[in-house]
């Protein structure tokens, strides 16, 4: 796990695997662990970036407006 500083705040990101990059973004009401079952199948062929969106895991929360999440 890595904490990456962005203009919008800290993002909680995990990198796994090797190969071409593949960014996996979870839906609302879950976090990056939603990909735990497919991660072992994808990691041998792809470098996975598993991101906890704002307000999930150790990622900083977004602001009060929907645009803040974008």
């Amino acid at each position: 796990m890595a904490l990456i500083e962005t203009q919008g705040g800290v993002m909680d990101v995990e990198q796994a695997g090797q190969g071409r990059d593949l960014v996996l973004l979870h839906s609302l009401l879950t976090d990056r662990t939603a990909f735990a079952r497919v991660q072992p199948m994808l990691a041998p062929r792809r470098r996975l970036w598993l991101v906890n969106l704002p307000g999930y895991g150790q990622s900083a929360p977004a602001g009060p407006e929907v645009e803040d999440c974008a």
Side-chain angles (χ1 to χ4, degrees):
M1 175 189 71
L3 298 177
I4 298 174
E5 186 71 37
T6 69
Q7 184 178 1
V10 175
M11 294 296 293
D12 179 7
V13 179
E14 179 181 335
Q15 180 186 339
Q18 56 188 353
R20 294 177 62 188
D21 291 314
L22 177 61
V23 178
L24 299 174
L25 301 173
H26 62 83
S27 63
L28 296 176
L29 304 177
T30 186
D31 61 14
R32 71 169 174 237
T33 60
F35 300 106
R37 293 180 67 185
V38 296
Q39 183 177 347
M41 293 177 268
L42 294 172
R45 297 182 307 269
R46 296 284 189 262
R47 179 174 35 198
L48 304 175
W49 295 90
L50 300 130
V51 179
N52 268 329
L53 295 176
Y56 294 87
Q58 293 184 354
S59 291
E65 302 298 325
V66 84
E67 290 83 6
D68 297 325
C69 290

